[in-house]
Amino acid sequence: MPDHSRDVTDFWNPDLPGRRGYEFARDALHSKAEAVVGDYAAMDLAPLGMFDVVLYLGVLYHMEEPLTCLKKVRSLTTEVAVIETEAIHIEGLEDACLLQFNPGDALRSDYGNWYVPTIGAIHAMCTAAGFSSVRTVVGPPPAPAREPEPRRARLARQAGGLAPLGPPSAPSANYRALVHAFV
Ligand SMILES: C[S@@+](CC[C@H](N)C(=O)[O-])C[C@H]1O[C@@H](n2cnc3c(N)ncnc32)[C@H](O)[C@@H]1O
């Protein structure tokens, strides 16, 4: 099981090394942007106010409660939220609203990965979270080339018999999806 105490000791340290790029850009642009470090899923966002554009990049699939977190994104947004996430494409289920659950470290050995949505689920969850419309900016990649049907399966099919059991015939592929969700 993951050691959740590391979230506090390592990840919420205000001197996060990952902030260096952000701080470099902020200084170079003489930006007045203020950094707030906290557990997004748990913290009270109301004191932050609202923003015309909210970037929610690479975070959704790290959330144990993705719909609740999208509602929080909506509560911060006055115009558009830009949402980027790990996503899954399942051939033959293009329009299905599915969340692939990744227990433990099933996805890339990372205990912090939970639900990987289809593009349909991303749209549906954004709508359920209170956004009025959603536009796909980066959607599923073109369907991968199918493996040729195994000879034994083809002969069985042509003979009108049952095809031998084989691997599932619905290949899936992960990719990074990007949508704009409008208030
Ligand atoms: C895949 S990285 C994306 C980083 C950056 N947003 C980007 O697009 O390059 C995931 C980020 O989500 C952050 N994260 C995960 N769970 C979080 C939480 N509960 N609250 C705030 N940030 C969280 C991690 O610290 C990490 O920086």
Side-chain angles (χ1 to χ4, degrees), residues 51-126:
F51 302 87
D52 299 341
V53 179
V54 173
L55 307 179
Y56 199 55
L57 309 176
V59 183
L60 185 63
Y61 61 101
H62 291 299
M63 302 288 105
E64 288 183 50
E65 298 182 22
L67 178 56
T68 306
C69 289
L70 284 176
K71 286 181 179 171
K72 294 181 98 168
V73 173
R74 172 64 186 83
S75 76
L76 292 168
T77 311
T78 55
E79 284 185 27
V80 62
V82 179
I83 299 165
E84 191 264 1
T85 180
E86 179 90 7
I88 187 165
H89 174 68
I90 306 169
E91 207 180 311
L93 295 171
E94 282 77 6
D95 299 323
C97 300
L98 301 173
L99 300 177
Q100 182 199 54
F101 179 61
N102 291 277
D105 62 349
L107 179 60
R108 293 199 201 95
S109 306
D110 184 342
Y111 285 99
N113 292 331
W114 292 97
Y115 293 96
V116 177
T118 60
I119 192 72
I122 297 170
H123 277 244
M125 284 196 294
C126 288

Side-chain angles (χ1 to χ4, degrees), residues 114-178:
W114 292 97
Y115 293 96
V116 177
T118 60
I119 192 72
I122 297 170
H123 277 244
M125 284 196 294
C126 288
T127 306
F131 289 99
S132 63
S133 65
V134 185
R135 187 168 67 213
T136 299
V137 180
V138 179
R146 269 190 172 282
E147 292 285 318
E149 189 176 17
R151 185 166 175 274
R152 227 156 48 93
R154 180 167 45 81
L155 293 176
R157 184 171 51 75
Q158 286 167 351
L162 290 174
L165 287 176
S169 60
S172 69
N174 280 30
Y175 69 101
R176 303 295 292 210
L178 179 68

